[in-house]
Amino acid sequence: MVNQLTDLRKFVKDIGGTIFREVPENAVSATKKTRKLLPDGTYGWEVKRPKWDAILTDLRRGEAKRVGGDRW
């Protein structure tokens, strides 16, 4: 995790950007999901990642413009 953050910080600096917020998610997996019955009678998967939801809210509000990650 430390190397990933260091690399991302350097990348942001190199492109002249600023970091709005860092949100490390240690040991959080999208594979931890719950099967849910949907209104149309089919089933779907619900993944709970509160920190990710907060990031998406920041983007929708225009408080942040981009998201960076170790695989992007």
Side-chain angles (χ1 to χ4, degrees), residues 10-33:
K10 182 183 180 317
F11 172 74
V12 171
K13 181 181 177 186
D14 290 349
I15 64 170
T18 57
I19 296 174
F20 174 71
R21 180 187 317 151
E22 291 180 358
V23 186
E25 284 191 301
N26 297 321
V28 174
S29 172
T31 60
K32 295 178 182 176
K33 53 193 172 199

Side-chain angles (χ1 to χ4, degrees), residues 2 4-5 8-10 12 21 29-30 32-36 41 47 50 52-53 57 59 65 68-69 72:
V2 173
Q4 296 166 359
L5 289 174
L8 284 169
R9 289 176 188 138
K10 182 183 180 317
V12 171
R21 180 187 317 151
S29 172
K32 295 178 182 176
K33 53 193 172 199
T34 306
R35 191 170 183 232
K36 295 285 184 178
V47 179
W52 179 247
D53 291 341
T57 298
L59 289 168
K65 295 181 182 177
W72 300 352

Side-chain angles (χ1 to χ4, degrees), residues 27-64:
V28 174
S29 172
T31 60
K32 295 178 182 176
K33 53 193 172 199
T34 306
R35 191 170 183 232
K36 295 285 184 178
L37 179 63
L38 301 175
D40 65 359
T42 61
Y43 285 89
W45 297 100
E46 178 180 69
V47 179
K48 293 187 179 180
R49 295 180 69 180
K51 290 182 180 181
W52 179 247
D53 291 341
I55 291 169
L56 296 178
T57 298
D58 291 341
L59 289 168
R60 280 191 294 273
R61 291 179 179 164
E63 295 172 7

